[in-house]
Amino acid sequence: MKVRHAKLEILFAFLALFGEGSLLGRPEAFEVGKADLDELPGGKEADGIVGDFVLRNDRVAAVISCDAPLRRANMSTFYGEDGVTPGCLYDLTMAGEDNDQITVFAPLGQRGTVSYVRVVKTGEDGEAIIESVVSGALGNGLAMRHEYRLRNGWQGVVIVSEVRNEGSDAREVVLRDGWTRFERAGQWGGVHWADANDPADRCGYAFGRVSFEDVLRRDDAKVELAPGESIRLARFLAVGRSPAAAYGSVATWRGEALPVRVVMQTEEGEGLTTGRVVIELSEKALLPGYPNGFGEVLTALPEGEFRFRFEDMGRRGKVRRLKVGERDTIDELVVLGPSRGIIFDVRDGDGKLIPCKVQFIGIDGTPSPELGPSIRAHGCRDQYHSERGDFRVPLPGGRYRVVVTRGPEFNHYAEEVELGDGDVVVMKVVLDRVVDTTGWVSADFHNHSTPSGDNVCGTDDRVINLVAEQIEFAPTTEHNRLYDWAPHIERLGLGEQIYTVPGVELTGRGAHFNMFPLEPEPGRQDAGAPVWQGDPRLNAVVLRGFQGEEEDRWVQINHPDMVENFVDRNGDGKADGGYLALPELIDGVEVQNYRPSNILVGAPFRIGKARGGLGLGVDYFREFIWLQLLNQGHRIWGVAVSDAHAVHGNGVGGWRVYLPSSTDEPEELDWRELVRNALAGRMILSTGPFLEVGTDGGAGPGDTESLSGASDEVYLSVRVQCADWLDIDRVQVLVNGRQPEELNFRRATHPDLFNDGVVKFDERISVAIEGDSHLIVVAYGENHDLSIGYGSSGQAALRPCAYNNPIFVDGNGDGFKANGDTLGFELPVKRLSVKRAREMLEKNGLEELMMMNQ
């Protein structure tokens, strides 16, 4: 039974009339070769490689994944050994728009190896078909075939599936399709839809069961197939400029809808392109539609009365109730009033526009605004991150405290404003760079955007987030995929602000590794990234020599399990040294990312609620164990990163490192120089304060100074600078990881040593040396947080903190030797009982660590 009836043709003509594509051309299906990479559709979630199949007409372009080893869309499409997804739809976008937002559409939950994927029809006869087949032998008795079909004028792809029971017993088959990584999705009346993770990308998807030719629509959720029995079903998967547009295409295919056009305009008669229309199909089914360049939202709806909400940030919204079915086509015009908001002009002390971050904090009963999802820069919850410094932010009416920052080297700006209907405030802001970091650059070795798979933060958004928080060097470290942020930096015009080199985070169910530099290989699975292995030493060895030997290469373990990696490898509760030789294969470990510092707590763990909140458990502190390992002779450099997966919340900022550099200009940075300094341990770890530490003999972080018996003391020059939204009130010198009270300087006990200006502390400290010692200076804000600079973001809970990688002092000139001190605690092992942990804490007088999170 064919369903190409009049209403479907009316909708296509309707969409074409208002700029949704033409009806010309013929479809195509072809396999992608090395010379065809430019033919692959693009977008945030584009995943096509050589060997995949392109299916396209004049309206849409799709990619069907090929039958290649380990073929998967990205790391988080599915987890586990059967996470590969050949023969699935990976990309779908409007023709010529390169705006793919879909990670995978897996018909009937297709996962695992397939028998083959091939082109059945090239499109020359008016239809293009790509086929994916799993034989009964490969499918454990269930044979499965999916056809991806495309014809002229379709706004999506028809997917016809056939399942046949070739086994000897009856089999239950679940008829459920799968797609992944959509933050906002819904369904109503048998049609599922999903929104782009950033609504500003103006893309939506929808699918539903349909009748197609001789395949009748079936809506059952599962079916039992007798031996030799088979079923066929068809779906239409549509893409549009909004979920409403995609939904309308699918609903019309199902024979259930009439065309609807609504237009949003300003009082001056101009089309509103920034707002949205929310169609309330039911109390929970809220279908968003985004206007095109004329302010139009095009869809199709079944007969009935629906509530339409017309919204645009900064304007008073309106509501209409429209009855579909009273006339052939709904055509509604809605005019919204004037927009309110703030126009920003943010410059540095030299008058140059600069990247920045703005917080909008509701006061006097006004709620803080919701400007957009946490994964984007231009409006993430109650913040806006700008790459330029000149921008406009529309806001609801009310009173706000506006805070503008540019990272921890600049002072902040704050002002209270009130916005009524149509009010527009112009805010000219000058942010002075007051912290002098000459000879050092700020760096973050670990960040993510949507190519990583486990997050949907736009890559441009990540770059903007980095420059807004004044990170000057950020290697590209996406999960299990070689990638390069440099084209994004260039396109955004940010070459003077930030520098990157391509790298990778190699990820699996164990130790994760960051490594750079590497070179992406377009057209290959994961752009040529290696495959993670269970033994961390194998990963380290592979990364060391990957793409050829490279002397200036950085390899670090991310958010490490310090116990398994370095103390108790098999988790039997007995110290066995961890993975033999692992410390010699790596350059550093992340002792800090998004957590508050625990370097001064004086214990390797605390007792608190176990994961899941059931009972009590032992929560280890990486920093303290790092100090223990330094005392065992493991010269592993500590690294602090953000490991950002969003912009607001778990975003960039907070933890970072400072590295020496012969230039302070990001566009002139030499990655080899930076890597060599990192390899030498010349790093300051910081949540904002800028710490400088050195000995009278010229030794700094990572260096070794020999006393040769000439003296039993070392003089440390310690200088700490902070912008006006940061402060410290304690400086503690750690000697071999211990905290001598005579080297504990607090503002409360040593007020003459602390200042109130930019330079908070600037002293020459005498440190008595008894044998070989490593020295770490910690600058800490015990009574301060980062709330001014980060507001409602997760980083706000961090304390101002900075410390150096250790300076080693050879007390007698015969070479540095670690003292073996475990700092009053046994080296931590797995299966440490709460009872035994309590005993160790009590022995060391640290009972307060037994009460945390209880």
Side-chain angles (χ1 to χ4, degrees):
M1 183 179 77
K2 295 187 177 183
V3 296
R4 293 297 306 274
H5 44 64
K7 280 196 290 186
L8 185 60
E9 299 295 351
I10 290 173
L11 176 64
F12 284 153
F14 178 77
L15 296 178
L17 179 63
F18 296 108
E20 299 289 340
S22 71
L23 296 176
L24 303 177
R26 65 173 180 81
E28 291 181 287
F30 60 91
E31 184 177 0
V32 176
K34 291 183 179 180
D36 302 318
L37 291 178
D38 290 342
E39 301 296 318
L40 287 165
K44 280 186 177 178
E45 302 300 334
D47 280 307
I49 65 172
V50 171
D52 283 347
F53 298 87
V54 168
L55 190 66
R56 66 189 182 189
N57 64 4
D58 60 317
R59 292 185 179 278
V60 301
V63 170
I64 312 301
S65 56
C66 65
D67 178 21
L70 299 179
R71 188 70 183 106
R72 58 183 180 270
N74 58 40
M75 182 193 73
S76 296
T77 304
F78 297 108
Y79 286 103
E81 295 181 359
D82 60 344
V84 297
T85 50
C88 292
L89 185 144
Y90 276 13
D91 303 327
L92 180 61
T93 181
M94 304 279 287
E97 295 199 2
D98 286 336
N99 193 26
D100 175 62
Q101 305 282 325
I102 197 169
T103 304
V104 66
F105 184 90
L108 300 183
Q110 172 71 43
R111 293 171 67 174
T113 306
V114 300
S115 299
Y116 61 83
V117 184
R118 64 169 185 163
V119 174
V120 176
K121 287 187 176 184
T122 63
E124 292 182 359
D125 65 351
E127 183 175 41
I129 302 176
I130 295 170
E131 176 187 60
S132 170
V133 171
V134 179
S135 67
L138 195 61
N140 194 28
L142 279 182
M144 193 174 300
R145 181 165 63 93
H146 307 298
E147 291 180 343
Y148 300 90
R149 307 176 71 144
L150 188 63
R151 295 179 186 169
N152 296 344
W154 290 2
Q155 196 66 37
V157 178
V158 171
I159 306 170
V160 178
S161 297
E162 181 178 4
V163 184
R164 179 179 178 83
N165 182 3
E166 296 183 354
S168 57
D169 298 317
R171 296 286 295 274
E172 183 179 83
V173 179
V174 177
L175 306 178
R176 182 172 61 242
D177 301 312
W179 57 10
T180 59
R181 298 309 305 162
F182 286 112
E183 301 292 305
R184 292 176 302 281
Q187 69 88 25
W188 189 68
V191 179
H192 299 255
W193 69 82
D195 199 353
N197 290 301
D198 180 358
D201 288 329
R202 295 296 194 259
C203 182
Y205 298 95
F207 75 93
R209 305 269 186 89
V210 296
S211 296
F212 178 74
E213 295 185 339
D214 61 340
V215 181
L216 296 178
R217 189 178 104 187
R218 54 186 311 150
D219 296 322
D220 37 352
K222 58 185 177 181
V223 65
E224 185 171 287
L225 295 181
E229 190 177 5
S230 64
I231 62 163
R232 297 180 72 200
L233 69 157
R235 295 73 106 211
F236 185 58
L237 172 63
V239 60
R241 291 198 173 96
S242 68
Y247 171 91
S249 294
V250 176
T252 304
W253 264 91
R254 290 163 61 90
E256 302 171 345
L258 293 171
V260 174
R261 172 181 179 262
V262 294
V263 182
M264 301 171 65
Q265 285 187 353
T266 67
E267 292 177 329
E268 293 76 26
E270 297 179 353
L272 264 177
T273 62
T274 56
R276 69 171 185 171
V277 178
V278 179
I279 306 169
E280 298 181 1
L281 301 176
S282 70
E283 183 178 349
K284 294 183 178 180
L286 308 178
L287 180 65
Y290 302 117
N292 60 20
F294 303 101
E296 301 161 330
V297 174
L298 308 174
T299 186
L301 298 174
E303 293 185 2
E305 183 176 352
F306 303 100
R307 189 169 181 260
F308 286 64
R309 299 202 318 258
F310 296 84
E311 303 172 346
D312 187 40
M313 180 66 70
R315 304 176 192 268
R316 288 187 180 273
K318 291 187 177 180
V319 176
R320 294 281 190 273
R321 287 190 175 275
L322 302 178
K323 290 185 177 181
V324 178
E326 289 187 333
R327 52 188 187 274
D328 290 340
T329 300
I330 295 293
D331 202 340
E332 185 79 7
L333 172 64
V334 173
V335 176
L336 297 187
S339 175
R340 61 179 82 84
I342 303 177
I343 297 173
F344 288 90
D345 183 289
V346 182
R347 301 175 184 265
D348 62 16
D350 296 326
K352 186 177 181 179
L353 288 166
I354 56 173
C356 63
K357 175 181 68 183
V358 183
Q359 301 172 52
F360 302 93
I361 304 163
I363 58 177
D364 299 337
T366 300
S368 295
E370 285 288 337
L371 300 176
S374 64
I375 49 89
R376 76 179 186 186
H378 292 168
C380 50
R381 295 188 56 188
D382 56 1
Q383 296 182 0
Y384 190 102
H385 296 231
S386 170
E387 69 274 28
R388 291 174 45 86
D390 55 340
F391 53 99
R392 183 183 189 277
V393 180
L395 292 165
R399 287 183 55 79
Y400 301 95
R401 183 170 185 264
V402 181
V403 179
V404 188
T405 55
R406 167 73 170 109
E409 298 174 30
F410 286 75
N411 281 343
H412 80 293
Y413 176 87
E415 181 180 342
E416 293 184 2
V417 299
E418 183 168 2
L419 295 173
D421 283 350
D423 287 345
V424 177
V425 174
V426 177
M427 193 172 290
K428 294 183 178 293
V429 177
V430 175
L431 299 180
D432 292 316
R433 188 173 188 172
V434 295
V435 176
D436 183 4
T437 61
T438 302
W440 295 78
V441 295
S442 56
D444 191 336
F445 286 1
H446 187 179
N447 282 285
H448 297 285
S449 63
T450 191
S452 285
D454 67 341
N455 72 110
V456 291
C457 176
T459 304
D460 286 355
D461 301 275
R462 170 62 62 236
V463 172
I464 295 170
N465 181 206
L466 284 160
V467 298
E469 300 292 1
Q470 205 202 353
I471 296 296
E472 296 161 313
F473 174 54
T476 306
T477 55
E478 305 289 11
H479 281 295
N480 294 332
R481 178 176 295 191
L482 306 190
Y483 200 73
D484 188 359
W485 292 340
H488 298 264
I489 292 171
E490 181 179 1
R491 183 170 60 250
L492 291 166
L494 294 174
E496 294 183 0
Q497 307 292 340
I498 190 169
Y499 176 67
T500 190
V501 292
V504 71
E505 181 180 16
L506 195 60
T507 301
R509 297 183 183 275
H512 297 186
F513 288 81
N514 265 17
M515 189 266 274
F516 56 88
L518 286 169
E519 192 62 38
E521 301 178 44
R524 293 188 58 191
Q525 175 69 48
D526 301 324
V531 178
W532 183 89
Q533 302 177 70
D535 190 321
R537 295 168 296 188
L538 296 177
N539 292 314
V541 169
V542 168
L543 291 173
R544 283 274 171 222
F546 197 69
Q547 293 186 343
E549 294 295 329
E550 171 57 69
E551 181 181 1
D552 299 321
R553 176 165 285 172
W554 176 261
V555 178
Q556 73 181 40
I557 296 183
N558 297 340
H559 38 76
D561 184 329
M562 302 290 282
V563 178
E564 176 186 329
N565 292 335
F566 304 111
V567 183
D568 180 12
R569 170 185 171 183
N570 59 9
D572 64 356
K574 300 177 183 179
D576 55 23
Y579 287 93
L580 182 65
L582 178 60
E584 287 71 41
L585 294 171
I586 61 174
D587 304 313
V589 297
E590 288 181 1
V591 295
Q592 266 305 342
N593 41 30
Y594 42 80
R595 297 183 178 183
S597 175
N598 293 298
I599 198 167
L600 297 178
V601 298
F605 56 77
R606 67 181 172 191
I607 300 172
K609 289 183 179 179
R611 287 193 175 185
L614 301 175
L616 298 178
V618 177
D619 182 18
Y620 287 106
F621 299 139
R622 296 176 195 147
E623 288 168 305
F624 189 91
I625 301 172
W626 176 57
L627 297 176
Q628 289 181 308
L629 293 176
L630 289 172
N631 285 344
Q632 309 314 303
H634 296 310
R635 193 170 290 201
I636 304 171
W637 304 129
V639 185
V641 303
S642 62
D643 191 6
H645 285 65
V647 175
H648 185 285
N650 172 224
V652 173
W655 285 109
R656 63 187 68 201
V657 296
Y658 282 96
L659 288 162
S661 173
S662 58
T663 178
D664 295 307
E665 303 300 327
E667 63 183 341
E668 299 174 4
L669 290 176
D670 179 354
W671 68 263
R672 290 189 182 277
E673 179 189 19
L674 297 178
V675 168
R676 288 168 184 170
N677 282 325
L679 292 171
R682 301 183 187 116
M683 287 183 282
I684 301 295
L685 291 66
S686 178
T687 62
F690 181 61
L691 168 69
E692 296 170 274
V693 180
T695 70
D696 281 2
D703 294 336
T704 300
E705 180 165 318
S706 177
L707 299 183
S708 302
S711 174
D712 60 357
E713 65 180 350
V714 168
Y715 285 93
L716 289 177
S717 294
V718 179
R719 191 168 189 258
V720 184
Q721 299 177 69
C722 292
D724 63 2
W725 55 277
L726 294 161
D727 203 356
I728 62 158
D729 47 30
R730 181 182 179 187
V731 172
Q732 172 74 64
V733 181
L734 304 181
V735 181
N736 287 326
R738 291 190 176 269
Q739 304 175 32
E741 186 54 37
E742 67 273 17
L743 298 176
N744 181 20
F745 308 99
R746 284 185 164 94
R747 190 182 288 268
T749 57
H750 300 77
D752 55 319
L753 301 184
F754 290 83
N755 306 305
D756 293 327
V758 174
V759 179
K760 302 296 183 181
F761 189 93
D762 192 359
E763 297 293 329
R764 182 170 175 263
I765 300 171
S766 173
V767 180
I769 300 297
E770 297 180 5
D772 295 348
S773 303
H774 60 80
L775 308 178
I776 296 174
V777 177
V778 183
Y780 196 70
E782 291 184 315
N783 300 295
H784 306 278
D785 57 29
L786 306 185
S787 58
I788 292 177
Y790 294 101
S792 58
S793 288
Q795 299 97 322
L798 299 176
R799 301 285 184 185
C801 179
Y803 57 90
N804 58 286
N805 266 302
I807 300 172
F808 297 90
V809 180
D810 175 8
N812 53 18
D814 64 348
F816 181 87
K817 298 180 180 62
N819 66 2
D821 185 10
T822 59
L823 306 177
F825 290 84
E826 303 164 5
L827 289 175
V829 295
K830 298 284 188 180
R831 302 182 185 176
L832 180 64
S833 69
V834 171
K835 178 181 178 182
R836 178 59 182 143
R838 285 183 183 276
E839 292 173 353
M840 285 193 278
L841 289 176
E842 290 171 353
K843 178 182 177 182
N844 286 273
L846 295 169
E847 289 86 352
E848 68 273 13
L849 291 176
M850 295 186 293
M851 301 302 295
M852 300 186 77
N853 292 335
Q854 294 190 38

